[in-house]
């Protein structure tokens, strides 16, 4: 069933039934699919385990953490996503449907990463890319305790040693593209940091404890591969379905149709 899901790129029962072998009538196969999902609900970890198994064994791998939200009718769908990068494509592995609007909390982020560590070890994670939402002392320290390297965009008020990133940027001389700072403390962890400005004049500050400082900005661009995952989820129409009484919903079904989408700022 998982292979049919992956091959069909769809969870509509008729689409899955069309991929089953044999000469049974389509209505009969659809009924089999319905009974399967009713009796054996597939969890995201089941699919993620198959995805990681099917990917070539080149390791360690790069991952992206992000959040996206869209409208399903009058309902706001707010999702925390974890994807793996393979051949320039971000493939969704795990997610959490957040029971509130706005940004994610540190606890739920750590829960998602712990779920990932049930499928692979920290040594298989080359780096985790994340944007400005995913910062904070407890979050960064939690990743360090789990042995997960990160490459993250910082806010301009983030402290680097005793100065804020904004203070560091104020030291840029006229005509200088940016600053490269090595081995500075960010949220209690030694990191390399790139400080520059975007074409619109916005501060661009990226920190990482993985890789050389000269490659940080180029590598961070891979974070934007997650945008294709956002587009696919909202366009196909993922709608939350409650299962049990857990704190967070962990499964979605595809009902088709376009959805309005708002992605978190990078």
């Amino acid at each position: 069933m998982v292979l049919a899901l992956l091959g069909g790129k769809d969870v509509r029962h008729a689409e899955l039934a069309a991929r089953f072998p044999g000469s049974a009538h389509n209505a009969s196969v659809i009924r089999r699919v319905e009974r399967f999902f009713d009796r054996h609900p597939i969890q995201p970890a089941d699919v993620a385990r198959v995805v990681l198994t099917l990917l070539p064994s080149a390791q360690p791998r790069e991952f992206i953490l992000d959040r996206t939200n869209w409208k399903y009718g009058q309902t706001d769908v707010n999702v925390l996503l974890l994807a793996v990068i393979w051949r320039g494509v971000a493939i969704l592995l795990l997610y959490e449907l957040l029971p509130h609007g706005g940004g994610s909390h540190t606890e739920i982020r750590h829960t998602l990463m712990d779920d990932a560590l049930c499928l692979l070890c920290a040594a298989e994670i080359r780096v985790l890319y994340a944007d400005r939402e995913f910062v904070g002392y407890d979050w960064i320290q939690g990743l360090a305790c789990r042995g997960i390297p990160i490459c993250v965009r910082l806010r301009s008020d983030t402290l680097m040693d005793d100065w804020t990133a904004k203070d560091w940027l104020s030291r840029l001389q006229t005509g200088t593209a940016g600053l490269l700072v090595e081995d500075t403390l960010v949220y209690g962890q030694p990191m390399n940091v790139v400080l520059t400005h975007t074409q619109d004049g916005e501060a661009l500050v990226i920190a990482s404890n993985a890789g050389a400082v000269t490659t940080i900005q180029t590598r961070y661009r891979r974070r934007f591969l997650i945008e294709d995952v956002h587009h696919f989820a909202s366009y196909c129409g993922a709608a939350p379905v409650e299962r049990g009484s857990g704190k967070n919903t962990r499964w979605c079904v595809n009902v088709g149709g376009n959805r309005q989408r708002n992605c978190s700022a990078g």
Side-chain angles (χ1 to χ4, degrees):
M1 184 61 70
V2 172
L3 292 176
L5 285 167
L6 294 174
K9 301 178 183 178
D10 206 323
V11 295
R12 287 175 293 185
H13 294 171
E15 294 293 330
L16 293 176
R19 295 186 170 271
F20 275 65
S23 57
H25 290 293
N26 194 54
S28 175
V29 179
I30 290 176
R31 183 57 187 150
R32 285 175 56 194
V33 174
E34 291 173 348
R35 286 197 299 267
F36 177 87
F37 282 116
D38 184 58
R39 298 172 185 174
H40 309 285
I42 298 178
Q43 298 299 319
D46 299 325
V47 179
R49 188 174 289 105
V50 172
V51 169
L52 289 173
T53 301
L54 292 176
L55 290 180
S57 59
Q59 294 176 347
R61 299 187 176 103
E62 298 172 304
F63 292 79
I64 308 172
L65 183 68
D66 205 13
R67 182 182 61 84
T68 186
N69 64 280
W70 65 88
K71 282 281 190 181
Y72 177 69
Q74 298 301 313
T75 303
D76 287 309
V77 181
N78 196 17
V79 190
L80 184 65
L81 306 168
L82 179 68
V84 60
I85 297 175
W86 179 69
R87 292 186 179 180
V89 176
I91 303 174
L92 178 63
L93 280 184
L94 297 170
Y95 62 86
E96 290 281 357
L97 292 180
L98 304 179
H100 54 76
S104 59
H105 302 308
T106 297
E107 180 181 357
I108 196 66
R109 298 178 208 157
H110 282 156
T111 297
L112 189 64
M113 297 311 302
D114 287 339
D115 288 346
L117 291 176
C118 290
L119 304 174
L120 71 165
C121 64
E124 297 177 76
I125 303 176
R126 176 177 295 156
V127 66
L128 177 68
Y129 297 110
D131 67 19
R132 288 170 290 186
E133 176 179 326
F134 304 99
V135 294
Y137 183 87
D138 291 340
W139 164 242
I140 298 298
Q141 289 294 324
L143 289 178
C145 289
R146 290 166 173 81
I148 300 175
I150 191 169
C151 182
V152 60
R153 184 173 177 182
L154 304 178
R155 299 166 183 164
S156 58
D157 60 353
T158 303
L159 279 176
M160 298 168 49
D161 287 335
D162 297 325
W163 289 19
T164 66
K166 184 178 180 179
D167 292 334
W168 281 91
L169 281 169
S170 68
R171 302 173 67 182
L172 273 178
Q173 299 178 357
T174 303
T176 303
L179 288 173
L180 304 179
V181 182
E182 295 183 288
D183 200 26
T184 183
L185 282 182
V186 178
Y187 296 115
Q189 287 295 314
M191 294 197 186
N192 297 329
V193 184
V194 172
L195 303 98
T196 185
H197 291 94
T198 66
Q199 293 181 347
D200 298 328
E202 183 181 8
L204 178 62
V205 184
I206 307 169
S208 180
N209 53 7
V213 66
T214 52
T215 66
I216 288 176
Q217 190 171 350
T218 300
R219 288 187 289 112
Y220 182 77
R221 294 191 184 105
R222 296 170 70 80
R223 189 198 76 80
F224 296 100
L225 295 172
I226 196 71
E227 300 298 336
D228 289 335
V229 176
H230 296 331
H231 177 72
F232 178 79
S234 59
Y235 182 82
C236 291
V241 175
E242 294 287 351
R243 289 193 180 274
S245 57
K247 292 182 179 180
N248 298 288
T249 307
R250 290 183 174 231
W251 187 237
C252 290
V253 294
N254 185 312
V255 296
N258 296 328
R259 300 289 178 264
Q260 297 177 6
R261 173 173 62 92
N262 293 306
C263 296
S264 57

